Amino acid sequence: FKNSSENKTLVIPDNIVSITFQAQDAQSNSEVNIKKLLFSDEEILNPIVTEVDGLEINWNDQLKRFEWNWTNDNENKYNYYVSVNFAGRIETAFVDNNYYCPKNRGIISNNGFKLKARLIEEESSNISIFSEEVVFESGPIDCSPFSGGNGSEENPYIIANATDFLNISLRNTSDVYFALNANLEIDVASLSGLDYESRVLNAHINGNGFNIKVFSSELIEMEKYGNSLIGKTDLSFDYYSSLFHTISAGGDIKNLNIDYQISYNKLNSTSAIFAPICVFNYGTIDKVNITNFDISISGNVTSIDNNVFVGGVAGVNFGTIQNCNNQSVFAFNMPQQLSFNFGYAGIVLFNANQNGQRGSITNCFNKGHKQINVAVNNNIYYMAGITLTNIGSISMCGNDGDLILATRVSSVVSLTGYFAGITITNINGTLEYLYNNGRITTEASRGNFISSGIVYQISGGTINTLVETVTGQPIVRSCQSDPTDFGTNYATNNSGTAINIVVQELKNVEIQCKGDTKLTIKEDNGRFVASIK
C-alpha cells in the first residue's frame, strides 16, 4: 500500500511483520522537467506490540477521573486510547496523561472503562502498536460532577448550585465550557482549600444573566504582589478574596451579575485585595455587572500597615475587560480606631503591563455613587471610577457616579485623598473617548484632597477626546510629561489649560468613536451630560 498525497498518516493493516518506507520526489515528468526520479533508500520499521504488564487503573472519586500508573518503575513515555461506557453511550479519547476525566455525566457501566497503551520511542526503528485492551474491573460508577452537559461549547456543563461551581476545578481546561442556569451564593471561604492550580480559571464560563452573591468573609494567602501609587510607592499585597486567583490567557467569564458582600473582621497588619471575579486577569471578562456592594471591615485596633483595596470587578488586569457596568451604590463607614489605607476602583484596581502584555478596558462604566466616611487620622484614600492606575488602554468608558470623601467624626483633621473620574495616574497608557459626569468632592473640612475629572496625573502616553462635564473640574490635574493628543477635549471654560491640554467649551456634539459607537454631549436641564452608545 502507498500514499502519494500530502497526508503523512498511514493506517497499518493487521498482521504486518515489517514496514518498508521509501520516498520519491513529487516533481512532474513534464517537458520542462524531463528526468527520472529514483526512490530513496529503504527505511525498515518493525511493528512492536506495547506490553502492559504492571499497569494499574483506579477511580478517583474526589476528582471524578480515572487514573493509572506503572508499578514496575516504568519511566517510558506512552499515549493512551481510552473508552468509557455510559450505559451504552461510548466516549473515546486519546490522552498523553496518566489520567482521564470523562466528559459526559451519569452512571458508568460495570467494567465500563477500558484502556490501550502505546509506547513512544524516539529515533527507533520500531513502530509501537497499541497494546491489548486493559479493562478496569468495577461496579457502576457515579460520574456526575455537574448538573448537566458534557463540557462542549454546544453542550456546556451546567452550574446549578455551589457544589457545581466548586467542581469547575475538576474540568478546568481551555477546551471546556460551563454555563449557569441558576443564581448562586458563594463564600470565598469555601474556596480556600483548593490548590493554586484549581484557583486559576482556564475554562469558559457563561453566566447567562444569572447572579452570584459573593461573600468575602475570609482571605487566601498569595505570593506577594507589589504596585505603587501616588503617596504610597511601597504598596504590596499578600492576601486576596475572590472567586478565582487568576483568569488565564485562554479563560473567560461573561454575562454575569455580581452582588458583592465584604464582611471581614480579622484585619491585623494585613494587605489584601478584594475583588469578586479574580485578582489577576490575563483572559477576558465580558458583560459583568456589579448590582450591589456592601463592605464591613474590622480587626485589631492596635495593628499598623493595613491596606484594604477593592476592585469592582477584578484586582489587576493584563487581559481584556469589556462591556462591564458597576451599578452599585455604597457609603463605607470606616471603623473608628482601626487604621488602614483604602482604595476603590469601579472596574479594576490596576490596569497593568507585564512583559508587553497591556491590560485593555473597553466600554465599561461606573454608574453608582460611592462614598468613604473616614474615622481615623493619617491614612490615604484612593478612588476612581474605572481604575486607580493605567499602564494599558482605556477606551470608550465613563463615570456617572459621584465619588465622595467624608469624615464620620470631627476629630479627623489629617487625611489624604486622591480621587479621579477615570484613573488617578496614566503612565504611558492610552486614554481615549472617556467622560466624567460625576461630582468628585470631599465633605471633610480638613486634610489634603486632590481630585480630577478624568485623570489626576499623566506621564506620557496618548489621549483622545476626553470630556469633563462637571463645572470647574479639570480634565487633568498634573502632567509629569506631555501626552500625545489626537482628539478634541471638552470641558468647562479653561478646564485643563494649566497643563497645556487644550479644551473646547462644552456644547451639544456627537463624536464618532470606534465602529458604530458614539460619544454624545447633550445639554439636559441646564447642564451638559455625556454618554457613550
Side-chain angles (χ1 to χ4, degrees), residues 495-529:
S495 178
T497 56
I499 55 168
N500 300 320
I501 293 179
V502 178
V503 299
Q504 290 191 14
E505 194 165 355
L506 291 168
K507 62 180 180 180
N508 292 313
V509 64
E510 188 175 78
I511 302 161
Q512 188 70 43
C513 302
K514 295 180 178 179
D516 297 329
T517 304
K518 295 179 180 179
L519 191 161
T520 302
I521 306 173
K522 186 177 180 180
E523 190 171 7
D524 183 18
N525 293 324
R527 64 158 290 188
F528 287 96
V529 176

PDB file of all heavy atoms in Angstrom, residues 495-529:
ATOM      1  N   SER A 495     -10.803  74.643  31.650  1.00  0.00           N
ATOM      2  CA  SER A 495     -10.508  73.422  32.395  1.00  0.00           C
ATOM      3  C   SER A 495      -9.371  72.668  31.717  1.00  0.00           C
ATOM      4  O   SER A 495      -9.463  72.264  30.567  1.00  0.00           O
ATOM      5  CB  SER A 495     -11.737  72.518  32.460  1.00  0.00           C
ATOM      6  OG  SER A 495     -11.440  71.320  33.138  1.00  0.00           O
ATOM      7  N   GLY A 496      -8.277  72.467  32.444  1.00  0.00           N
ATOM      8  CA  GLY A 496      -7.158  71.710  31.908  1.00  0.00           C
ATOM      9  C   GLY A 496      -6.107  72.539  31.205  1.00  0.00           C
ATOM     10  O   GLY A 496      -5.061  72.028  30.847  1.00  0.00           O
ATOM     11  N   THR A 497      -6.333  73.828  31.002  1.00  0.00           N
ATOM     12  CA  THR A 497      -5.390  74.624  30.229  1.00  0.00           C
ATOM     13  C   THR A 497      -4.073  74.841  30.957  1.00  0.00           C
ATOM     14  O   THR A 497      -3.059  75.153  30.338  1.00  0.00           O
ATOM     15  CB  THR A 497      -5.998  75.995  29.887  1.00  0.00           C
ATOM     16  OG1 THR A 497      -6.401  76.639  31.091  1.00  0.00           O
ATOM     17  CG2 THR A 497      -7.197  75.824  28.980  1.00  0.00           C
ATOM     18  N   ALA A 498      -4.061  74.644  32.291  1.00  0.00           N
ATOM     19  CA  ALA A 498      -2.833  74.892  33.046  1.00  0.00           C
ATOM     20  C   ALA A 498      -1.726  73.922  32.671  1.00  0.00           C
ATOM     21  O   ALA A 498      -0.559  74.175  32.916  1.00  0.00           O
ATOM     22  CB  ALA A 498      -3.118  74.802  34.549  1.00  0.00           C
ATOM     23  N   ILE A 499      -2.059  72.807  32.071  1.00  0.00           N
ATOM     24  CA  ILE A 499      -1.023  71.834  31.702  1.00  0.00           C
ATOM     25  C   ILE A 499      -0.976  71.616  30.199  1.00  0.00           C
ATOM     26  O   ILE A 499      -0.626  70.542  29.714  1.00  0.00           O
ATOM     27  CB  ILE A 499      -1.232  70.501  32.429  1.00  0.00           C
ATOM     28  CG1 ILE A 499      -2.646  69.963  32.154  1.00  0.00           C
ATOM     29  CG2 ILE A 499      -1.020  70.628  33.917  1.00  0.00           C
ATOM     30  CD1 ILE A 499      -2.825  68.543  32.599  1.00  0.00           C
ATOM     31  N   ASN A 500      -1.382  72.622  29.460  1.00  0.00           N
ATOM     32  CA  ASN A 500      -1.242  72.612  28.004  1.00  0.00           C
ATOM     33  C   ASN A 500      -2.076  71.545  27.314  1.00  0.00           C
ATOM     34  O   ASN A 500      -1.740  71.108  26.219  1.00  0.00           O
ATOM     35  CB  ASN A 500       0.238  72.444  27.608  1.00  0.00           C
ATOM     36  CG  ASN A 500       1.108  73.552  28.141  1.00  0.00           C
ATOM     37  OD1 ASN A 500       0.711  74.723  28.134  1.00  0.00           O
ATOM     38  ND2 ASN A 500       2.286  73.194  28.630  1.00  0.00           N
ATOM     39  N   ILE A 501      -3.140  71.106  27.964  1.00  0.00           N
ATOM     40  CA  ILE A 501      -4.110  70.258  27.285  1.00  0.00           C
ATOM     41  C   ILE A 501      -5.254  71.158  26.851  1.00  0.00           C
ATOM     42  O   ILE A 501      -5.976  71.718  27.683  1.00  0.00           O
ATOM     43  CB  ILE A 501      -4.610  69.126  28.198  1.00  0.00           C
ATOM     44  CG1 ILE A 501      -3.459  68.155  28.490  1.00  0.00           C
ATOM     45  CG2 ILE A 501      -5.770  68.375  27.562  1.00  0.00           C
ATOM     46  CD1 ILE A 501      -3.826  67.020  29.405  1.00  0.00           C
ATOM     47  N   VAL A 502      -5.394  71.323  25.564  1.00  0.00           N
ATOM     48  CA  VAL A 502      -6.356  72.274  25.018  1.00  0.00           C
ATOM     49  C   VAL A 502      -7.753  71.680  25.077  1.00  0.00           C
ATOM     50  O   VAL A 502      -7.967  70.525  24.719  1.00  0.00           O
ATOM     51  CB  VAL A 502      -5.994  72.648  23.572  1.00  0.00           C
ATOM     52  CG1 VAL A 502      -7.027  73.602  22.992  1.00  0.00           C
ATOM     53  CG2 VAL A 502      -4.598  73.250  23.526  1.00  0.00           C
ATOM     54  N   VAL A 503      -8.716  72.487  25.546  1.00  0.00           N
ATOM     55  CA  VAL A 503     -10.099  72.025  25.619  1.00  0.00           C
ATOM     56  C   VAL A 503     -11.007  73.011  24.911  1.00  0.00           C
ATOM     57  O   VAL A 503     -10.695  74.197  24.774  1.00  0.00           O
ATOM     58  CB  VAL A 503     -10.557  71.865  27.084  1.00  0.00           C
ATOM     59  CG1 VAL A 503      -9.718  70.838  27.808  1.00  0.00           C
ATOM     60  CG2 VAL A 503     -10.541  73.196  27.817  1.00  0.00           C
ATOM     61  N   GLN A 504     -12.131  72.499  24.450  1.00  0.00           N
ATOM     62  CA  GLN A 504     -13.205  73.338  23.946  1.00  0.00           C
ATOM     63  C   GLN A 504     -14.307  73.387  24.990  1.00  0.00           C
ATOM     64  O   GLN A 504     -14.484  72.461  25.769  1.00  0.00           O
ATOM     65  CB  GLN A 504     -13.758  72.781  22.635  1.00  0.00           C
ATOM     66  CG  GLN A 504     -12.803  72.903  21.462  1.00  0.00           C
ATOM     67  CD  GLN A 504     -13.495  72.592  20.148  1.00  0.00           C
ATOM     68  OE1 GLN A 504     -14.723  72.546  20.072  1.00  0.00           O
ATOM     69  NE2 GLN A 504     -12.697  72.391  19.105  1.00  0.00           N
ATOM     70  N   GLU A 505     -15.034  74.481  24.962  1.00  0.00           N
ATOM     71  CA  GLU A 505     -16.131  74.599  25.912  1.00  0.00           C
ATOM     72  C   GLU A 505     -17.219  73.601  25.550  1.00  0.00           C
ATOM     73  O   GLU A 505     -17.444  73.275  24.382  1.00  0.00           O
ATOM     74  CB  GLU A 505     -16.682  76.028  25.905  1.00  0.00           C
ATOM     75  CG  GLU A 505     -17.592  76.315  27.083  1.00  0.00           C
ATOM     76  CD  GLU A 505     -17.821  77.800  27.265  1.00  0.00           C
ATOM     77  OE1 GLU A 505     -17.204  78.589  26.537  1.00  0.00           O
ATOM     78  OE2 GLU A 505     -18.620  78.162  28.144  1.00  0.00           O
ATOM     79  N   LEU A 506     -17.905  73.106  26.570  1.00  0.00           N
ATOM     80  CA  LEU A 506     -18.942  72.099  26.363  1.00  0.00           C
ATOM     81  C   LEU A 506     -20.030  72.606  25.423  1.00  0.00           C
ATOM     82  O   LEU A 506     -20.429  73.778  25.476  1.00  0.00           O
ATOM     83  CB  LEU A 506     -19.568  71.719  27.711  1.00  0.00           C
ATOM     84  CG  LEU A 506     -18.668  70.936  28.667  1.00  0.00           C
ATOM     85  CD1 LEU A 506     -19.299  70.880  30.054  1.00  0.00           C
ATOM     86  CD2 LEU A 506     -18.407  69.533  28.146  1.00  0.00           C
ATOM     87  N   LYS A 507     -20.497  71.706  24.547  1.00  0.00           N
ATOM     88  CA  LYS A 507     -21.570  72.040  23.623  1.00  0.00           C
ATOM     89  C   LYS A 507     -22.253  70.754  23.183  1.00  0.00           C
ATOM     90  O   LYS A 507     -21.746  69.647  23.416  1.00  0.00           O
ATOM     91  CB  LYS A 507     -21.010  72.782  22.402  1.00  0.00           C
ATOM     92  CG  LYS A 507     -20.018  71.952  21.582  1.00  0.00           C
ATOM     93  CD  LYS A 507     -19.486  72.731  20.393  1.00  0.00           C
ATOM     94  CE  LYS A 507     -18.500  71.897  19.580  1.00  0.00           C
ATOM     95  NZ  LYS A 507     -17.977  72.653  18.413  1.00  0.00           N
ATOM     96  N   ASN A 508     -23.384  70.889  22.568  1.00  0.00           N
ATOM     97  CA  ASN A 508     -24.066  69.722  22.015  1.00  0.00           C
ATOM     98  C   ASN A 508     -23.277  69.208  20.812  1.00  0.00           C
ATOM     99  O   ASN A 508     -23.108  69.922  19.815  1.00  0.00           O
ATOM    100  CB  ASN A 508     -25.491  70.083  21.588  1.00  0.00           C
ATOM    101  CG  ASN A 508     -26.388  70.401  22.769  1.00  0.00           C
ATOM    102  OD1 ASN A 508     -26.406  69.664  23.749  1.00  0.00           O
ATOM    103  ND2 ASN A 508     -27.123  71.505  22.688  1.00  0.00           N
ATOM    104  N   VAL A 509     -22.799  67.972  20.933  1.00  0.00           N
ATOM    105  CA  VAL A 509     -21.985  67.429  19.859  1.00  0.00           C
ATOM    106  C   VAL A 509     -22.043  65.909  19.912  1.00  0.00           C
ATOM    107  O   VAL A 509     -22.230  65.307  20.979  1.00  0.00           O
ATOM    108  CB  VAL A 509     -20.519  67.921  19.973  1.00  0.00           C
ATOM    109  CG1 VAL A 509     -19.864  67.401  21.242  1.00  0.00           C
ATOM    110  CG2 VAL A 509     -19.701  67.506  18.748  1.00  0.00           C
ATOM    111  N   GLU A 510     -21.881  65.282  18.759  1.00  0.00           N
ATOM    112  CA  GLU A 510     -21.828  63.824  18.656  1.00  0.00           C
ATOM    113  C   GLU A 510     -20.498  63.446  18.014  1.00  0.00           C
ATOM    114  O   GLU A 510     -20.163  63.937  16.930  1.00  0.00           O
ATOM    115  CB  GLU A 510     -23.001  63.300  17.821  1.00  0.00           C
ATOM    116  CG  GLU A 510     -23.134  61.799  17.822  1.00  0.00           C
ATOM    117  CD  GLU A 510     -24.381  61.337  17.082  1.00  0.00           C
ATOM    118  OE1 GLU A 510     -24.346  61.321  15.835  1.00  0.00           O
ATOM    119  OE2 GLU A 510     -25.383  61.009  17.751  1.00  0.00           O
ATOM    120  N   ILE A 511     -19.742  62.597  18.686  1.00  0.00           N
ATOM    121  CA  ILE A 511     -18.391  62.269  18.259  1.00  0.00           C
ATOM    122  C   ILE A 511     -18.317  60.789  17.904  1.00  0.00           C
ATOM    123  O   ILE A 511     -18.694  59.931  18.702  1.00  0.00           O
ATOM    124  CB  ILE A 511     -17.371  62.586  19.383  1.00  0.00           C
ATOM    125  CG1 ILE A 511     -17.466  64.060  19.768  1.00  0.00           C
ATOM    126  CG2 ILE A 511     -15.959  62.222  18.954  1.00  0.00           C
ATOM    127  CD1 ILE A 511     -16.868  64.369  21.111  1.00  0.00           C
ATOM    128  N   GLN A 512     -17.844  60.493  16.713  1.00  0.00           N
ATOM    129  CA  GLN A 512     -17.683  59.103  16.283  1.00  0.00           C
ATOM    130  C   GLN A 512     -16.476  58.485  16.986  1.00  0.00           C
ATOM    131  O   GLN A 512     -15.371  59.012  16.921  1.00  0.00           O
ATOM    132  CB  GLN A 512     -17.494  59.021  14.762  1.00  0.00           C
ATOM    133  CG  GLN A 512     -17.504  57.602  14.218  1.00  0.00           C
ATOM    134  CD  GLN A 512     -18.884  56.971  14.293  1.00  0.00           C
ATOM    135  OE1 GLN A 512     -19.892  57.607  13.987  1.00  0.00           O
ATOM    136  NE2 GLN A 512     -18.936  55.716  14.717  1.00  0.00           N
ATOM    137  N   CYS A 513     -16.687  57.369  17.664  1.00  0.00           N
ATOM    138  CA  CYS A 513     -15.583  56.672  18.339  1.00  0.00           C
ATOM    139  C   CYS A 513     -15.080  55.550  17.444  1.00  0.00           C
ATOM    140  O   CYS A 513     -14.662  55.799  16.323  1.00  0.00           O
ATOM    141  CB  CYS A 513     -16.047  56.141  19.694  1.00  0.00           C
ATOM    142  SG  CYS A 513     -16.682  57.411  20.814  1.00  0.00           S
ATOM    143  N   LYS A 514     -15.167  54.312  17.904  1.00  0.00           N
ATOM    144  CA  LYS A 514     -14.750  53.157  17.121  1.00  0.00           C
ATOM    145  C   LYS A 514     -15.976  52.374  16.685  1.00  0.00           C
ATOM    146  O   LYS A 514     -16.927  52.216  17.445  1.00  0.00           O
ATOM    147  CB  LYS A 514     -13.822  52.261  17.941  1.00  0.00           C
ATOM    148  CG  LYS A 514     -12.502  52.918  18.313  1.00  0.00           C
ATOM    149  CD  LYS A 514     -11.640  51.965  19.119  1.00  0.00           C
ATOM    150  CE  LYS A 514     -10.298  52.596  19.450  1.00  0.00           C
ATOM    151  NZ  LYS A 514      -9.437  51.686  20.254  1.00  0.00           N
ATOM    152  N   GLY A 515     -15.941  51.853  15.468  1.00  0.00           N
ATOM    153  CA  GLY A 515     -17.083  51.106  14.965  1.00  0.00           C
ATOM    154  C   GLY A 515     -18.312  51.982  14.892  1.00  0.00           C
ATOM    155  O   GLY A 515     -18.273  53.101  14.393  1.00  0.00           O
ATOM    156  N   ASP A 516     -19.419  51.468  15.442  1.00  0.00           N
ATOM    157  CA  ASP A 516     -20.667  52.225  15.452  1.00  0.00           C
ATOM    158  C   ASP A 516     -20.872  53.011  16.740  1.00  0.00           C
ATOM    159  O   ASP A 516     -21.922  53.631  16.934  1.00  0.00           O
ATOM    160  CB  ASP A 516     -21.851  51.260  15.260  1.00  0.00           C
ATOM    161  CG  ASP A 516     -21.809  50.552  13.917  1.00  0.00           C
ATOM    162  OD1 ASP A 516     -21.297  51.159  12.959  1.00  0.00           O
ATOM    163  OD2 ASP A 516     -22.269  49.393  13.834  1.00  0.00           O
ATOM    164  N   THR A 517     -19.891  53.014  17.624  1.00  0.00           N
ATOM    165  CA  THR A 517     -20.036  53.661  18.928  1.00  0.00           C
ATOM    166  C   THR A 517     -19.834  55.170  18.813  1.00  0.00           C
ATOM    167  O   THR A 517     -18.925  55.628  18.120  1.00  0.00           O
ATOM    168  CB  THR A 517     -19.026  53.070  19.935  1.00  0.00           C
ATOM    169  OG1 THR A 517     -19.214  51.651  20.011  1.00  0.00           O
ATOM    170  CG2 THR A 517     -19.222  53.664  21.304  1.00  0.00           C
ATOM    171  N   LYS A 518     -20.678  55.907  19.536  1.00  0.00           N
ATOM    172  CA  LYS A 518     -20.589  57.364  19.511  1.00  0.00           C
ATOM    173  C   LYS A 518     -20.587  57.918  20.931  1.00  0.00           C
ATOM    174  O   LYS A 518     -21.262  57.396  21.818  1.00  0.00           O
ATOM    175  CB  LYS A 518     -21.759  57.956  18.724  1.00  0.00           C
ATOM    176  CG  LYS A 518     -21.746  57.596  17.246  1.00  0.00           C
ATOM    177  CD  LYS A 518     -22.938  58.183  16.520  1.00  0.00           C
ATOM    178  CE  LYS A 518     -22.906  57.803  15.038  1.00  0.00           C
ATOM    179  NZ  LYS A 518     -24.072  58.355  14.296  1.00  0.00           N
ATOM    180  N   LEU A 519     -19.803  58.975  21.127  1.00  0.00           N
ATOM    181  CA  LEU A 519     -19.798  59.732  22.378  1.00  0.00           C
ATOM    182  C   LEU A 519     -20.614  60.993  22.129  1.00  0.00           C
ATOM    183  O   LEU A 519     -20.290  61.786  21.240  1.00  0.00           O
ATOM    184  CB  LEU A 519     -18.372  60.056  22.808  1.00  0.00           C
ATOM    185  CG  LEU A 519     -18.160  60.615  24.221  1.00  0.00           C
ATOM    186  CD1 LEU A 519     -16.708  60.436  24.647  1.00  0.00           C
ATOM    187  CD2 LEU A 519     -18.529  62.091  24.332  1.00  0.00           C
ATOM    188  N   THR A 520     -21.654  61.176  22.935  1.00  0.00           N
ATOM    189  CA  THR A 520     -22.567  62.303  22.745  1.00  0.00           C
ATOM    190  C   THR A 520     -22.524  63.229  23.951  1.00  0.00           C
ATOM    191  O   THR A 520     -22.567  62.773  25.103  1.00  0.00           O
ATOM    192  CB  THR A 520     -24.010  61.806  22.540  1.00  0.00           C
ATOM    193  OG1 THR A 520     -24.055  60.938  21.406  1.00  0.00           O
ATOM    194  CG2 THR A 520     -24.961  62.978  22.324  1.00  0.00           C
ATOM    195  N   ILE A 521     -22.409  64.527  23.702  1.00  0.00           N
ATOM    196  CA  ILE A 521     -22.535  65.545  24.749  1.00  0.00           C
ATOM    197  C   ILE A 521     -23.835  66.295  24.473  1.00  0.00           C
ATOM    198  O   ILE A 521     -24.047  66.813  23.378  1.00  0.00           O
ATOM    199  CB  ILE A 521     -21.349  66.525  24.743  1.00  0.00           C
ATOM    200  CG1 ILE A 521     -20.021  65.764  24.834  1.00  0.00           C
ATOM    201  CG2 ILE A 521     -21.474  67.503  25.895  1.00  0.00           C
ATOM    202  CD1 ILE A 521     -18.805  66.656  24.658  1.00  0.00           C
ATOM    203  N   LYS A 522     -24.707  66.331  25.489  1.00  0.00           N
ATOM    204  CA  LYS A 522     -26.024  66.937  25.294  1.00  0.00           C
ATOM    205  C   LYS A 522     -26.413  67.741  26.523  1.00  0.00           C
ATOM    206  O   LYS A 522     -26.234  67.292  27.650  1.00  0.00           O
ATOM    207  CB  LYS A 522     -27.059  65.844  25.033  1.00  0.00           C
ATOM    208  CG  LYS A 522     -28.440  66.358  24.686  1.00  0.00           C
ATOM    209  CD  LYS A 522     -29.383  65.199  24.371  1.00  0.00           C
ATOM    210  CE  LYS A 522     -30.776  65.702  24.008  1.00  0.00           C
ATOM    211  NZ  LYS A 522     -31.685  64.563  23.694  1.00  0.00           N
ATOM    212  N   GLU A 523     -26.953  68.933  26.294  1.00  0.00           N
ATOM    213  CA  GLU A 523     -27.414  69.758  27.403  1.00  0.00           C
ATOM    214  C   GLU A 523     -28.735  69.216  27.929  1.00  0.00           C
ATOM    215  O   GLU A 523     -29.663  68.932  27.159  1.00  0.00           O
ATOM    216  CB  GLU A 523     -27.581  71.214  26.964  1.00  0.00           C
ATOM    217  CG  GLU A 523     -27.819  72.157  28.126  1.00  0.00           C
ATOM    218  CD  GLU A 523     -27.769  73.615  27.712  1.00  0.00           C
ATOM    219  OE1 GLU A 523     -27.686  73.879  26.494  1.00  0.00           O
ATOM    220  OE2 GLU A 523     -27.810  74.484  28.611  1.00  0.00           O
ATOM    221  N   ASP A 524     -28.827  69.056  29.257  1.00  0.00           N
ATOM    222  CA  ASP A 524     -30.015  68.481  29.869  1.00  0.00           C
ATOM    223  C   ASP A 524     -30.301  69.210  31.172  1.00  0.00           C
ATOM    224  O   ASP A 524     -29.502  69.151  32.115  1.00  0.00           O
ATOM    225  CB  ASP A 524     -29.787  66.986  30.130  1.00  0.00           C
ATOM    226  CG  ASP A 524     -31.015  66.287  30.694  1.00  0.00           C
ATOM    227  OD1 ASP A 524     -32.120  66.848  30.567  1.00  0.00           O
ATOM    228  OD2 ASP A 524     -30.853  65.187  31.263  1.00  0.00           O
ATOM    229  N   ASN A 525     -31.427  69.915  31.221  1.00  0.00           N
ATOM    230  CA  ASN A 525     -31.840  70.654  32.428  1.00  0.00           C
ATOM    231  C   ASN A 525     -30.759  71.617  32.925  1.00  0.00           C
ATOM    232  O   ASN A 525     -30.432  71.676  34.115  1.00  0.00           O
ATOM    233  CB  ASN A 525     -32.223  69.688  33.547  1.00  0.00           C
ATOM    234  CG  ASN A 525     -33.473  68.897  33.231  1.00  0.00           C
ATOM    235  OD1 ASN A 525     -34.405  69.405  32.602  1.00  0.00           O
ATOM    236  ND2 ASN A 525     -33.494  67.632  33.656  1.00  0.00           N
ATOM    237  N   GLY A 526     -30.162  72.317  32.007  1.00  0.00           N
ATOM    238  CA  GLY A 526     -29.224  73.363  32.367  1.00  0.00           C
ATOM    239  C   GLY A 526     -27.789  72.917  32.549  1.00  0.00           C
ATOM    240  O   GLY A 526     -26.920  73.748  32.843  1.00  0.00           O
ATOM    241  N   ARG A 527     -27.493  71.616  32.390  1.00  0.00           N
ATOM    242  CA  ARG A 527     -26.110  71.153  32.474  1.00  0.00           C
ATOM    243  C   ARG A 527     -25.861  70.138  31.364  1.00  0.00           C
ATOM    244  O   ARG A 527     -26.773  69.498  30.838  1.00  0.00           O
ATOM    245  CB  ARG A 527     -25.787  70.535  33.826  1.00  0.00           C
ATOM    246  CG  ARG A 527     -26.564  69.283  34.158  1.00  0.00           C
ATOM    247  CD  ARG A 527     -25.865  68.447  35.210  1.00  0.00           C
ATOM    248  NE  ARG A 527     -24.653  67.842  34.697  1.00  0.00           N
ATOM    249  CZ  ARG A 527     -23.940  66.946  35.382  1.00  0.00           C
ATOM    250  NH1 ARG A 527     -24.297  66.581  36.603  1.00  0.00           N
ATOM    251  NH2 ARG A 527     -22.845  66.423  34.862  1.00  0.00           N
ATOM    252  N   PHE A 528     -24.601  70.006  31.004  1.00  0.00           N
ATOM    253  CA  PHE A 528     -24.233  69.066  29.959  1.00  0.00           C
ATOM    254  C   PHE A 528     -23.980  67.678  30.555  1.00  0.00           C
ATOM    255  O   PHE A 528     -23.423  67.544  31.652  1.00  0.00           O
ATOM    256  CB  PHE A 528     -22.993  69.555  29.212  1.00  0.00           C
ATOM    257  CG  PHE A 528     -23.259  70.711  28.298  1.00  0.00           C
ATOM    258  CD1 PHE A 528     -23.025  72.023  28.716  1.00  0.00           C
ATOM    259  CD2 PHE A 528     -23.756  70.499  27.023  1.00  0.00           C
ATOM    260  CE1 PHE A 528     -23.278  73.089  27.878  1.00  0.00           C
ATOM    261  CE2 PHE A 528     -23.994  71.561  26.166  1.00  0.00           C
ATOM    262  CZ  PHE A 528     -23.759  72.859  26.598  1.00  0.00           C
ATOM    263  N   VAL A 529     -24.384  66.668  29.810  1.00  0.00           N
ATOM    264  CA  VAL A 529     -24.182  65.273  30.213  1.00  0.00           C
ATOM    265  C   VAL A 529     -23.631  64.510  29.020  1.00  0.00           C
ATOM    266  O   VAL A 529     -24.116  64.658  27.894  1.00  0.00           O
ATOM    267  CB  VAL A 529     -25.498  64.626  30.695  1.00  0.00           C
ATOM    268  CG1 VAL A 529     -25.280  63.147  31.010  1.00  0.00           C
ATOM    269  CG2 VAL A 529     -26.049  65.358  31.899  1.00  0.00           C
TER     270      VAL A 529
END
